[in-house]
Amino acid sequence: LESVSFLLSKRESAKAIQGDKQRELELLLRRSYSKKALLDFFARLCTDSQAFYNFIQDNYNKQRGVEELIALSGLSQSTFNRKFREMFGESPYQWIMSKRAEAILKKLADENIPLRKIIKEYNFTDASHFNRFCKQVYNQAPSQIRKNIIKEKVY
């Protein structure tokens, strides 16, 4: 980074040097940050993508599914999916499910929130549907996840 700063201060414009420094910076970033972290960071820098990024962040948890989110966006399904994959590095469904799983895990960590409330809040049809979801994502039933989280807090 110091050499990039030096070149910028000297207004060095040699294409070969710029290319080398660009590759060095790319390697440094890839080794230091996850792909998701880089996508999140650079998505905010791209003004063309900023509105789409903000739209997703503001609306993904207010819609019942990807189809409703696509309809709300006003984009075609293929355009939405392409933009989404470019920005977040995975399909809209995969991304939304991982965000949903993170939020559910936080709710399970709060023993004051009854499981039936979580089931209702996240639109599971019934307790067995919620149980299947947790087993698929975390390989454990919701009650076991909660017990393990509480056990970790004690230690």
Side-chain angles (χ1 to χ4, degrees):
L1 289 177
E2 289 175 6
S3 62
V4 170
S5 179
F6 172 77
L7 290 172
L8 290 174
S9 70
K10 298 295 182 190
R11 303 236 184 245
E12 181 64 59
S13 62
K15 294 278 186 190
I17 294 173
Q18 284 180 341
D20 290 345
K21 294 304 171 192
Q22 184 178 6
R23 284 185 290 281
E24 286 177 27
L25 184 57
E26 182 181 344
L27 284 172
L28 177 67
L29 291 172
R30 285 184 183 215
R31 288 183 180 171
S32 302
Y33 300 97
S34 69
K35 184 176 181 179
K36 183 181 181 324
L38 289 172
L39 284 168
D40 286 345
F41 175 75
F42 285 110
R44 295 175 193 190
L45 294 178
C46 300
T47 56
D48 293 342
S49 301
Q50 185 67 44
F52 185 74
Y53 181 87
N54 290 340
F55 169 80
I56 298 300
Q57 293 297 330
D58 292 343
N59 293 291
Y60 79 89
N61 60 351
K62 297 175 188 171
Q63 307 306 312
R64 293 197 86 174
V66 177
E67 292 78 22
E68 287 183 17
L69 191 59
I70 292 170
L72 185 63
S73 75
L75 299 171
S76 71
Q77 183 174 357
S78 59
T79 300
F80 182 91
N81 286 336
R82 178 183 46 77
K83 286 181 83 165
F84 196 98
R85 191 172 285 281
E86 286 172 2
M87 181 161 292
F88 296 101
E90 57 189 329
S91 76
Y93 179 79
Q94 291 169 324
W95 187 84
I96 289 171
M97 292 307 289
S98 68
K99 289 291 189 183
R100 187 177 191 195
E102 287 173 24
I104 289 170
L105 192 60
K106 286 179 185 174
K107 299 278 184 177
L108 287 171
D110 185 347
E111 54 192 312
N112 295 321
I113 301 174
L115 292 178
R116 67 182 177 281
K117 185 175 180 183
I118 299 170
I119 291 168
K120 187 175 182 177
E121 183 178 344
Y122 289 94
N123 299 314
F124 289 98
T125 54
D126 54 28
S128 64
H129 182 206
F130 182 54
N131 194 35
R132 282 192 307 275
F133 173 83
C134 289
K135 284 186 176 182
Q136 182 182 15
V137 174
Y138 297 110
N139 296 320
Q140 295 177 334
S143 57
Q144 188 61 45
I145 294 169
R146 182 168 271 176
K147 284 179 190 175
N148 291 340
I149 290 171
I150 292 166
K151 191 187 302 183
E152 288 176 14
K153 286 180 183 178
V154 172
Y155 296 111

